[in-house]
C-alpha cells in the first residue's frame, strides 16, 4: 500500500517526505484555504517536493468548467491529478479528461456504486471517505472492503485511496482491506511513527551505554 499525505501545508509535507515514506499528496479546497495562500502557487511548490501524484481539486460544478480548470491545473506539472467530485457532471468531466490523458481522482465517494461509476468513467483513483462515514454512524471501512472486492472481481485498474482518515487504526484497517493507497493527515503520521516502548527502549539503551562509556 502506498502512503500519501493529506495536507496543503508545505512544512508538514517536507517533514514527512524526508522520512522516505511518501508516494503522493492530496489536497482539497478546505486544506488549501487553511494555508491562506494562492492555490496554484501552493500546488506548484508541492510538485517540487514530492515526486508522485499530487491531487488538486476543481471548484466548478459543471463538467465544462471542471474540464477547463483541470486543463489549467494539469499544465502545472506532469504529476498533477485532478480531483473531481462524485456527481453526474463530475463523471462527464472524468470521462472527457481520461480520454485526453489527464489523470483524475474522484472524491467524496461514499458508496461502492459511486466508486464503480467513477471507475467506469475512467477515473485513475477513487477516494472513499472513511472518517466522514464513521461520523454519521456508519462503518466507513465497509466501503473500502466492498470496493476492493468489486474492483478485484472485475479486474478494474482504478486505484482506491482510503481518504478522510482520522486515526492510526484507519490506516491499519485500510491496509488490511487492500486499499491501494491511504491518504493520511500529518497528525496521524506523527502518531504512527511513535510507540512508548520504543521511547523507553531508547532511554534504556542510552542509560546502559552511559555506564560503558565512562
Ligand atoms: C481526501 O482526499 C480528502 O482531502 C480528505 O481525506 C478529507 O478528509 P476529512 O474528512 O478529514 O476532511
Amino acid at each position: 500500500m502506498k502512503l500519501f499525505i493529506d495536507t496543503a501545508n508545505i512544512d508538514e509535507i517536507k517533514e514527512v517526505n524526508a522520512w522516505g515514506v511518501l508516494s503522493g499528496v492530496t489536497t482539497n479546497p478546505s486544506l488549501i484555504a487553511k494555508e491562506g495562500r494562492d492555490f496554484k502557487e501552493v500546488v506548484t511548490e508541492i510538485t517540487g517536493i514530492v515526486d508522485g501524484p499530487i491531487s488538486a481539486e476543481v471548484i466548478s460544478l459543471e463538467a465544462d468548467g471542471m474540464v477547463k480548470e483541470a486543463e489549467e491545473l494539469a499544465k502545472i506539472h506532469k504529476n498533477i491529478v485532478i480531483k473531481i467530485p462524485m456527481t453526474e457532471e463530475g463523471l462527464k468531466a472524468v470521462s472527457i479528461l481520461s480520454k485526453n490523458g489527464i489523470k483524475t481522482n474522484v472524491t467524496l465517494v461514499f458508496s461502492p456504486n459511486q466508486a464503480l461509476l467513477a471507475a467506469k468513467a475512467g477515473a485513475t483513483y477513487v477516494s472513499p471517505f472513511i472518517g466522514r462515514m464513521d461520523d454519521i454512524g456508519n462503518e466507513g471501512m465497509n466501503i473500502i472492503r466492498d470496493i476492493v472486492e468489486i474492483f478485484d472481481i472485475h479486474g478494474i485498474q482504478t486505484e482506491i485511496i482510503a481518504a478522510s482518515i482520522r486515526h492510526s487504526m484507519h490506516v491499519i484497517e485500510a491496509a488490511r482491506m487492500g486499499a491501494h493507497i491511504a491518504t493520511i493527515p500529518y497528525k496521524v503520521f506523527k502518531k504512527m511513527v511513535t510507540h512508548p516502548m520504543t521511547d523507553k527502549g531508547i532511554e534504556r539503551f542510552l542509560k546502559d551505554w552511559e555506564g560503558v562509556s565512562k
Side-chain angles (χ1 to χ4, degrees):
M1 183 172 72
K2 287 170 277 189
L3 306 182
F4 289 5
I5 189 166
D6 193 31
T7 184
N9 182 281
I10 298 297
D11 291 337
E12 292 178 356
I13 295 169
K14 281 185 176 164
E15 183 180 333
V16 179
N17 190 51
W19 301 352
V21 301
L22 278 191
S23 299
V25 181
T26 52
T27 67
N28 65 40
S30 311
L31 293 171
I32 297 277
K34 246 170 73 181
E35 298 309 307
R37 292 179 56 199
D38 177 71
F39 175 34
K40 283 189 183 167
E41 191 184 292
V42 176
V43 170
T44 306
E45 203 172 336
I46 297 172
T47 60
I49 303 167
V50 179
D51 184 19
I54 316 292
S55 287
E57 190 159 342
V58 297
I59 299 301
S60 304
L61 296 176
E62 309 297 328
D64 285 353
M66 290 178 189
V67 170
K68 275 196 195 98
E69 277 185 64
E71 285 168 347
E72 279 309 303
L73 289 168
K75 283 182 195 156
I76 294 178
H77 195 277
K78 64 174 172 47
N79 286 343
I80 295 291
V81 172
I82 310 301
K83 230 175 175 187
I84 305 270
M86 177 55 221
T87 60
E88 291 181 26
E89 290 297 306
L91 290 175
K92 284 189 219 168
V94 168
S95 158
I96 295 166
L97 293 169
S98 77
K99 286 184 186 101
N100 294 342
I102 295 179
K103 290 186 175 161
T104 55
N105 171 2
V106 175
T107 189
L108 293 165
V109 166
F110 291 92
S111 77
N113 275 332
Q114 289 182 318
L116 183 60
L117 289 171
K120 298 312 287 182
T124 318
Y125 304 97
V126 286
S127 289
F129 275 38
I130 303 164
R132 293 194 197 185
M133 281 300 273
D134 289 354
D135 288 346
I136 57 163
N138 289 317
E139 184 63 64
M141 209 50 73
N142 288 343
I143 313 170
I144 302 284
R145 191 198 53 220
D146 290 347
I147 301 172
V148 168
E149 188 183 349
I150 292 165
F151 283 14
D152 276 355
I153 291 170
H154 298 284
I156 292 171
Q157 297 301 307
T158 303
E159 290 194 82
I160 302 160
I161 304 180
S164 187
I165 281 181
R166 299 280 160 77
H167 49 73
S168 323
M169 277 311 292
H170 274 157
V171 181
I172 295 169
E173 286 295 307
R176 290 182 61 226
M177 299 286 175
H180 302 98
I181 300 152
T183 190
I184 305 170
Y186 171 78
K187 271 195 297 194
V188 177
F189 266 115
K190 295 290 271 187
K191 296 264 187 233
M192 286 167 70
V193 83
T194 55
H195 195 286
M197 291 301 286
T198 308
D199 296 342
K200 265 194 170 164
I202 292 170
E203 205 180 298
R204 174 80 168 271
F205 284 150
L206 290 178
K207 216 167 164 221
D208 291 345
W209 189 248
E210 261 176 38
V212 173
S213 59
K214 265 179 197 161

